[in-house]
């Protein structure tokens, strides 16, 4: 696998769920043709298809210019196809460059995740580039007739730093497109996340399906403390940003113990102006009754006495959805539970696991990330088995995976 600076290309079919529902018979062949066009564009520009990603793919290029050329050819091919039996299939494409880690034929690391997030901000027929990729592509020469439009800085889901994004412009590409689906489009107070979400892809898909359902108004993530409910809920809420006209409100209840404290925290976070002659619950209910909004109530187990507040808001605020993290269910009518399980550990085969063998497991990746935050020189090593010590050090080893601390 090629190491060093690579340009990563992510492509994804826009509105794929709707297309599959409307054209169930014709979509298999349409998807096959869609994939043929993308793959031919990548390989024709000296790129390598790393993997398919649902209704899209991930590719890597040694040259940013080659990646831009592939994106242009792919979009022109998709836009020029007749698509018999279905509506036109339109892909959004994102590009970013950097050094990523290769493992088992795949790439991991911040440049990969940033490329995927840039792609997710786009629309069908659009090609988006990071600032670094735009600079590299310009230095190497853009395809004939192509230019790059500066769309400004945008905050992207799960990324700490905003990204300056450029759009590939060409006479054969659409020019009138909606604003980017970045976090700046909707109001929110979600805290910035300083690390990637590790090993929760399936859970995110499940949460997305639940929150997309009109019949789910209250969704509660349950599980023991430290298992990762808050981090998962924040990622799910960030993905829902553009679904709610009035955005997302995050409410941290970890410091509350009484119902009235929790109610006051909700009023503050929702930006409701207090009135001396109006009870807080009535004030909150009036304000939220006209909003289309997602509330994320974190650490609700601290104040289960406020469950009636949630029930009251659901009754009187039809545009409201509520996502909760709690060690136990709220037991409110209509509540849907979503249990969060621990990340998987390597299987025990009786031998001493090598660092290379266990390093790709999700729980181990999270453990290493947390350890390196405290000790930057921490690294997994293969040594004579012995029990883990209480302190984390670069020589820490475990006799068996079952003795490792659970990530949280």
């Amino acid at each position: 696998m090629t190491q060093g600076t690579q340009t990563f290309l992510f492509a994804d079919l826009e509105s794929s769920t709707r297309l599959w529902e409307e054209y169930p018979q014709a979509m298999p062949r349409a998807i096959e043709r869609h994939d043929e066009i993308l793959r031919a564009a990548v390989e024709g520009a000296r790129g390598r298809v790393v993997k398919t990603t649902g209704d899209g793919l991930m590719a890597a290029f040694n040259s940013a210019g080659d990646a831009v050329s592939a994106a242009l050819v792919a979009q022109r091919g998709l836009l020029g196809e007749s698509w018999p039996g279905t509506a036109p299939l339109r892909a959004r494409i994102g590009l970013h460059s950097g050094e990523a880690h290769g493992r088992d034929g795949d790439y991991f690391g911040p440049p990969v995740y940033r490329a995927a997030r840039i792609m997710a901000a786009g629309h069908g027929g659009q090609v988006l580039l990071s600032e670094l990729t735009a600079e590299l592509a310009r230095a190497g020469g853009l395809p004939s007739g192509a230019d790059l439009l500066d769309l400004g800085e945008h905050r992207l889901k799960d990324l700490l730093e905003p990204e300056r994004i450029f759009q590939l412009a060409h006479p054969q590409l659409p020019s009138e497109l909606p604003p980017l689906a970045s976090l700046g489009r909707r109001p929110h107070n979600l805290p910035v996340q300083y690390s990637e979400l590790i090993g929760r892809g399936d859970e995110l898909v499940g949460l997305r399906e639940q929150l997309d359902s009109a019949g789910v108004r209250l969704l509660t993530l349950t599980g023991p403390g430290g298992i990762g409910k808050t981090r998962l809920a924040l990622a799910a809420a960030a993905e829902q940003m553009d679904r709610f006209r009035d955005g997302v409100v995050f409410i941290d209840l970890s410091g509350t113990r009484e119902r009235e404290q929790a109610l006051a925290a909700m009023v503050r976070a929702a930006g409701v102006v207090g009135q001396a002659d109006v009870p807080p619950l009535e004030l909150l209910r009036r304000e939220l009754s006209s909003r289309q909004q997602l509330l994320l109530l974190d650490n609700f187990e601290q104040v289960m006495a406020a469950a009636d507040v949630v029930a009251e808001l659901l009754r009187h605020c039809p545009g409201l959805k509520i996502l909760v993290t709690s060690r136990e269910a709220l037991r409110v009518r209509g509540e849907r539970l979503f249990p969060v399980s621990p990340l998987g550990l390597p299987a025990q085969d009786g031998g001493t696991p090598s660092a290379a063998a266990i390093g790709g497991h999700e729980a181990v990746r999270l453990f290493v990330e947390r350890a390196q935050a405290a000790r930057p020189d921490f690294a997994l090593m293969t040594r004579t088995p012995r029990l883990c010590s209480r302190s984390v050090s670069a020589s820490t080893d475990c006799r068996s995976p079952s003795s490792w601390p659970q990530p949280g």
Side-chain angles (χ1 to χ4, degrees):
M1 174 169 289
T2 304
Q3 302 297 327
T5 299
Q6 299 282 295
T7 295
F8 298 99
L9 179 152
F10 276 83
D12 183 62
L13 178 60
E14 185 178 54
S15 304
S16 60
T17 301
R18 176 181 59 80
L19 289 168
W20 277 103
E21 290 182 352
E22 292 185 6
Y23 310 102
Q25 304 301 320
M27 276 298 288
R29 174 54 193 152
I31 284 293
E32 185 179 337
R33 179 59 184 147
H34 166 272
D35 292 350
E36 289 173 354
I37 292 171
L38 291 177
R39 186 175 292 271
V42 168
E43 294 175 350
R46 297 181 290 276
R48 306 172 305 285
V49 174
V50 178
K51 61 183 176 182
T52 56
T53 55
D55 293 321
L57 58 76
M58 170 191 171
F61 298 80
N62 294 337
S63 159
D66 287 345
V68 173
S69 295
L72 177 58
V73 170
Q75 292 291 25
R76 291 168 63 184
L78 294 172
L79 292 166
E81 190 73 14
S82 60
W83 303 112
T86 70
L89 270 60
R90 299 289 180 256
R92 49 189 179 172
I93 296 178
L95 305 172
H96 181 55
S97 306
E99 293 192 19
H101 304 290
R103 186 179 70 243
D104 298 330
D106 201 352
Y107 285 98
F108 300 89
V112 176
Y113 310 131
R114 187 164 289 264
R117 287 310 187 193
I118 289 171
M119 178 272 295
H123 302 280
Q126 191 170 37
V127 178
L128 300 177
L129 299 79
S130 68
E131 184 173 17
L132 174 57
T133 302
E135 291 175 357
L136 293 173
R138 280 186 172 134
L142 295 172
S144 177
D147 196 3
L148 298 178
L149 304 180
D150 188 347
L151 302 183
E153 287 194 342
H154 292 263
R155 285 198 62 216
L156 302 175
K157 298 169 185 176
D158 287 334
L159 299 182
L160 171 61
E161 296 295 333
E163 179 65 55
R164 194 170 198 88
I165 295 180
F166 293 77
Q167 177 181 313
L168 179 63
H170 188 275
Q172 292 179 300
L173 296 185
S175 57
E176 298 296 327
L177 291 162
L180 298 187
S182 56
L183 298 186
R185 293 185 59 200
R186 303 292 187 191
H188 73 93
N189 65 340
L190 297 178
V192 171
Q193 300 306 299
Y194 291 87
S195 61
E196 63 165 305
L197 179 67
I198 294 176
R200 295 295 187 184
D202 291 342
E203 287 92 337
L204 270 180
V205 171
L207 285 172
R208 188 183 309 129
E209 291 174 351
Q210 295 277 7
L211 291 170
D212 284 347
S213 172
V216 177
R217 300 279 312 286
L218 171 61
L219 184 60
T220 303
L221 279 67
T222 59
I227 204 167
K229 300 185 298 295
T230 297
R231 184 69 181 84
L232 179 57
L234 286 169
E239 287 196 347
Q240 294 288 313
M241 191 77 63
D242 292 323
R243 286 198 56 234
F244 294 90
R245 181 191 65 228
D246 298 302
V248 176
V249 174
F250 172 75
I251 304 167
D252 182 7
L253 300 175
S254 60
T256 65
R257 295 297 182 272
E258 304 293 335
R259 176 183 179 276
E260 295 309 311
Q261 291 178 328
L263 185 54
M266 295 181 198
V267 169
R268 287 193 303 271
V272 179
V273 179
Q275 300 177 27
D277 58 340
V278 181
L281 179 55
E282 175 65 19
L283 197 65
L284 187 63
R285 191 177 68 186
R286 287 183 191 176
E287 178 66 28
L288 299 185
S289 63
S290 60
R291 290 191 191 180
Q292 186 189 33
Q293 197 166 58
L294 175 67
L295 297 188
L296 171 48
L297 305 178
D298 192 36
N299 293 294
F300 204 93
E301 72 276 356
Q302 305 287 349
V303 60
M304 296 302 292
D308 69 302
V309 175
V310 173
E312 185 76 0
L313 293 178
L314 291 173
R315 277 196 298 269
H316 296 279
C317 308
L320 203 64
K321 285 203 177 193
I322 301 179
L323 182 62
V324 175
T325 73
S326 177
R327 298 185 187 182
E328 55 183 298
L330 275 62
R331 296 179 175 82
V332 169
R333 181 184 294 275
E335 180 181 29
R336 189 76 60 90
L337 298 181
F338 192 98
V340 179
S341 302
L343 294 175
L345 291 169
Q348 300 181 52
D349 57 9
T352 302
S354 68
I358 66 175
H361 288 270
E362 296 164 349
V364 180
R365 287 176 59 203
L366 182 57
F367 177 85
V368 170
E369 179 189 272
R370 299 292 174 85
Q372 289 177 341
R375 285 282 303 273
D377 62 341
F378 177 89
L380 290 176
M381 296 181 179
T382 303
R383 284 194 171 186
T384 303
R386 58 188 176 84
L387 289 174
C388 291
S389 64
R390 291 185 180 180
S391 63
V392 175
S393 71
S395 61
T396 296
D397 295 284
C398 297
R399 179 164 295 169
S400 71
S402 62
S403 68
W404 298 347
Q406 286 291 329

